[in-house]
Amino acid sequence: MELVPEGKNFRLVQEAELPGILEFLSGHLPAALKFHQALKTFLNDRVWDFHFYVSKSWPDEPVALHFPGMTCSPNGHLYESFGVFCPLDRLDSLFLLRDEDVLLDWSKPIFLNFTHESILGRIECFYKDIGTLDKLCGDVYVCDEVQDQDLDSLPLVDADLQELRTEHAKDIHGLYPANDMECLEVFEKLLRSLPSYGVFSSTGELAAWMVQSYYGAMFSMQTRPQFRRKGYGTHLAQSLTKLVMQRGYIPFVIIRPENEASLGLYQKLGFRRAYRTVRAVLRPAGCPRHPEDAIVLMEGIVDAAHIAEVPIEFVDVPAAFADDARAEHLADAIPDAIPAPEAFRISGDEVRARGRRRGGGVAFEVAVGGHCLTAPSAPPR
């Protein structure tokens, strides 16, 4: 898609202006952390081809955007997803976003990557007249100084910590919970340009890994089910946090509120909560949903199931999902573990996820429009 030099209220930032934008954002940390680190990573490493915009009255109306907001979206359009920052004491300036009809087509779904909840709240106020928002919340935790853990008490038995290589990108991307939003190519570039570590078993199998993102955060810590509870996460997080700091970045992670295990790990390492962040799909009223949405929602359920240690297996997958490779990846990622103490429910506009007890486990049904995906759990072992 052709690059648009200016919209109704925003203009493309020239290369020479970017350091000044970064300095401005530095004065609004930690609220500007994700946008700040995304711009810094872009200036230093050029992992992805982002385009930055500011209001035409910058800095009097201090609203900044970047396109795309993520490296993969359903139609692959440059302006289909975006990131945004506005100082929290100037949220009234977001009227510029509301009135922007050149860069943003509000009549179509728009994907907003993780954004400060106060900014998202203001967007939600004006978007309610257009459609609905599907939201996923997380908390940003930041580390100023690493609290070293005694790794000698968590030895890597029959395993080794190594830097990752580009040939590991496919495995990492396949099991990444949000791989519908980030493409394989960006993982290849991340492993080539930014810090990353993996724990390898004695047979050479990649057991666990962690990668620095193109927006500065440390993300995609994953451990294969058969290698859990061995302390690999502590080794990965401590090693990567130190390396990210050495390279001049601010280490931060985004933790789902229900993920108590990750929260405990990062708090021990010295991470502190900075603010809540929200990722959203802005969907205009009457916009038809796609079977893809059920897979995306199922990924969220599977992520929660991992945290709750619920055993799940996929059955009766409709034809709409038969060729979706992620269903196989998700099934491979399910641990053989104890059942959750209770079921949970998610509901939204034309989307529902139902959980119920079954044989001591939990059964989930996800429906989006007329498409349905059912994933009943196996009985506990």
Side-chain angles (χ1 to χ4, degrees):
M1 186 175 183
E2 185 177 348
L3 187 64
V4 179
E6 67 175 42
K8 180 178 180 179
N9 297 319
F10 296 89
R11 63 173 180 83
L12 184 65
V13 176
Q14 300 302 307
E15 182 79 16
E17 298 178 89
L18 291 176
I21 304 294
L22 185 66
E23 183 177 357
F24 174 87
L25 295 170
S26 297
H28 294 278
L29 295 173
L33 183 59
K34 182 179 177 296
F35 202 110
H36 176 275
Q37 295 288 277
L39 177 52
K40 186 170 185 176
T41 308
F42 176 80
L43 287 170
N44 291 346
D45 302 290
R46 302 296 168 111
V47 173
W48 202 254
D49 193 13
F50 290 105
H51 305 283
F52 295 86
Y53 289 75
V54 294
S55 71
K56 292 182 178 179
S57 52
W58 177 274
D60 294 334
E61 298 288 356
V63 183
L65 310 174
H66 71 74
F67 298 92
M70 55 197 191
T71 63
C72 184
S73 58
N75 300 303
H77 295 161
L78 174 60
Y79 297 98
E80 189 174 29
S81 66
F82 72 101
V84 56
F85 177 72
C86 176
L88 302 187
D89 60 351
R90 295 296 310 278
L91 294 180
D92 56 309
S93 296
L94 288 172
F95 78 90
L96 295 171
L97 193 63
R98 178 197 65 203
D99 297 339
E100 179 57 53
D101 57 4
V102 176
L103 301 177
L104 295 168
D105 185 350
W106 298 107
S107 68
K108 297 179 180 178
I110 298 175
F111 299 82
L112 181 61
N113 212 335
F114 280 113
T115 301
H116 194 290
E117 66 172 346
S118 296
I119 297 174
L120 192 282
R122 188 60 64 95
I123 293 173
E124 191 168 16
C125 285
F126 71 74
Y127 194 79
K128 65 184 179 182
D129 296 328
I130 302 173
T132 58
L133 281 75
D134 299 335
K135 297 183 289 185
L136 179 69
C137 297
D139 291 315
V140 172
Y141 281 78
V142 183
C143 184
D144 298 316
E145 182 178 354
V146 181
Q147 303 295 317
D148 284 335
Q149 301 300 295
D150 181 12
L151 298 183
D152 290 337
S153 64
L154 291 169
L156 293 175
V157 179
D158 296 326
D160 187 31
L161 182 72
Q162 303 175 22
E163 291 192 20
L164 294 170
R165 301 182 299 276
T166 54
E167 57 261 36
H168 301 125
K170 187 174 182 180
D171 283 343
I172 293 173
H173 180 260
L175 291 174
Y176 178 54
N179 60 11
D180 60 297
M181 304 182 75
E182 307 294 356
C183 64
L184 174 60
E185 183 183 356
V186 77
F187 276 83
E188 293 171 342
K189 291 186 175 182
L190 289 173
L191 298 186
R192 190 178 301 120
S193 304
L194 296 177
S196 61
Y197 282 111
V199 175
F200 293 82
S201 71
S202 58
T203 62
E205 182 180 4
L206 180 57
W209 56 87
M210 192 173 191
V211 181
Q212 181 183 341
S213 169
Y214 60 81
Y215 52 81
M218 303 186 326
F219 80 161
S220 191
M221 181 194 280
Q222 303 287 323
T223 303
R224 294 187 186 276
Q226 64 270 34
F227 295 105
R228 289 179 178 156
R229 303 186 185 281
K230 296 180 180 292
Y232 293 172
T234 302
H235 283 266
L236 287 169
Q238 181 163 303
S239 299
L240 191 60
T241 299
K242 289 183 175 181
L243 187 53
V244 167
M245 280 184 165
Q246 290 170 10
R247 298 184 79 248
Y249 291 98
I250 302 172
F252 74 97
V253 291
I254 298 174
I255 302 176
R256 296 275 289 277
E258 67 271 19
N259 195 341
E260 295 180 359
S262 290
L263 177 58
L265 166 62
Y266 288 108
Q267 285 181 328
K268 287 180 181 178
L269 289 172
F271 284 75
R272 56 178 176 79
R273 186 182 184 277
Y275 60 89
R276 174 148 292 187
T277 185
V278 185
R279 188 173 70 197
V281 180
L282 287 67
R283 201 178 303 278
C287 178
R289 292 183 178 272
H290 189 273
E292 171 84 2
D293 295 342
I295 287 287
V296 172
L297 185 56
M298 179 57 75
E299 288 173 348
I301 292 176
V302 169
D303 189 36
H306 282 179
I307 295 167
E309 297 185 315
V310 182
I312 299 176
E313 61 179 332
F314 287 84
V315 298
D316 300 329
V317 179
F321 305 102
D323 296 327
D324 196 300
R326 276 174 296 160
E328 180 180 351
H329 285 307
L330 291 172
D332 289 342
I334 304 302
D336 294 330
I338 60 174
E342 60 184 45
F344 65 88
R345 300 175 184 273
I346 303 173
S347 62
D349 178 33
E350 294 187 60
V351 180
R352 69 179 186 275
R354 298 185 301 181
R356 64 181 183 276
R357 306 286 297 186
R358 177 182 291 181
V362 179
F364 298 107
E365 178 183 273
V366 181
V368 180
H371 307 284
C372 181
L373 180 62
T374 303
S377 70
R381 291 169 172 78

